[in-house]
Amino acid sequence: MRSIIFASNNENKVEEIKKILKGRYNVISLKDAGINIDIPEPYDTLEENAFEKSRTIYALSGKDCFSEDTGLEVMALNNEPGVKSARYAANDPVFKSNTAKLLHALIPIENRQAQFRTVISLMLQGTEYQFEGICKGFISRFEKGILGFGYDPLFIPEGSDKTFGEMKMDEKNKFSHRKKATAKLAAFLNDHYGKD
């Protein structure tokens, strides 16, 4: 089984990606790769931040790797929190503060349409490729569920009456933005390695 580094320190995301790619690729976290750095996300787009992470880890390790950046985009808030989703309310990613700020901002707003968008940046033999996954839905008026992480207890995907916070991983992956982007990544890798 081929191994590939996932350039993330977020253990929740690592476990989610591992579950999606299980049986096809051995996903190695930064911790397991012995890389102990916190890569900054200084840019204004998911695409640029994802690329910053993948090229940093590729330069350090010399090994094929991928990274991702994900944002929650709320239509009525001009796509905020977007690229700043993890630090919407503070410099440190404290999600209770983030969700509280989002709910407060939406109090007077009827249109609660939103989408999660994931961009994966793959560094393969020195060349970068990107893959996008989108999950459309809307923001609940209060938190529901204790599963998942981040904004999951607020986000209800189209086609469901439950938040991601109420869904176990297998159910969430039927809708997940990260699953959609990772499926594109897997298809690309299968095609690429099939040509070896």
Side-chain angles (χ1 to χ4, degrees):
M1 187 184 301
R2 291 184 180 272
S3 295
I4 189 166
I5 296 173
F6 178 25
S8 178
N9 289 311
N10 185 318
E11 291 301 317
N12 291 303
K13 290 182 178 181
V14 171
E15 287 309 308
E16 198 168 306
I17 293 281
K18 281 184 174 181
K19 190 167 183 67
I20 294 167
L21 291 178
K22 186 178 180 181
R24 289 184 280 184
Y25 296 93
N26 177 32
V27 177
I28 302 171
S29 68
L30 288 182
K31 181 180 177 182
D32 290 342
I35 300 172
N36 184 24
I37 62 169
D38 189 21
I39 307 166
E41 299 177 344
Y43 298 106
D44 293 329
T45 69
L46 300 176
E47 288 81 1
E48 290 173 298
N49 282 333
F51 182 35
E52 177 69 17
K53 289 182 276 190
S54 65
R55 70 181 171 188
T56 297
I57 298 307
Y58 186 81
L60 282 172
S61 69
K63 296 179 180 178
D64 293 343
C65 63
F66 68 95
S67 67
E68 65 87 54
D69 202 18
T70 294
L72 175 65
E73 300 172 341
V74 181
M75 308 311 150
L77 300 178
N78 296 315
N79 289 335
E80 288 186 359
V83 72
K84 304 296 184 186
S85 290
R87 293 170 175 81
Y88 185 44
N91 288 328
D92 295 316
V94 181
F95 267 101
K96 281 293 181 187
S97 299
N98 290 336
T99 54
K101 180 177 179 178
L102 180 60
L103 286 175
H104 187 266
L106 286 172
I107 287 172
I109 298 173
E110 285 299 317
N111 177 10
R112 303 177 77 86
Q113 287 182 304
Q115 65 181 25
F116 269 119
R117 188 164 71 90
T118 290
V119 174
I120 289 177
S121 170
L122 168 68
M123 286 295 292
L124 196 62
Q125 298 167 343
T127 300
E128 194 230 7
Y129 307 88
Q130 291 197 348
F131 311 92
E132 181 186 68
I134 292 175
C135 177
K136 294 183 180 296
F138 62 96
I139 304 300
S140 173
R141 295 193 177 275
F142 52 90
E143 292 191 30
K144 294 189 290 185
I146 58 171
L147 302 176
F149 59 98
Y151 296 95
D152 284 358
L154 288 181
F155 185 80
I156 302 173
E158 286 184 356
S160 178
D161 59 359
K162 295 197 290 189
T163 69
F164 276 165
E166 296 175 287
M167 296 181 185
K168 292 183 178 179
M169 187 72 74
D170 288 342
E171 186 177 3
K172 179 181 176 182
N173 280 339
K174 293 176 183 176
F175 303 96
S176 171
H177 44 291
R178 197 168 288 111
K179 169 74 178 291
K180 292 172 184 175
T182 305
K184 293 177 183 178
L185 167 70
F188 180 87
L189 289 173
N190 289 342
D191 184 60
H192 175 83
Y193 287 131
K195 294 175 181 177
D196 283 357

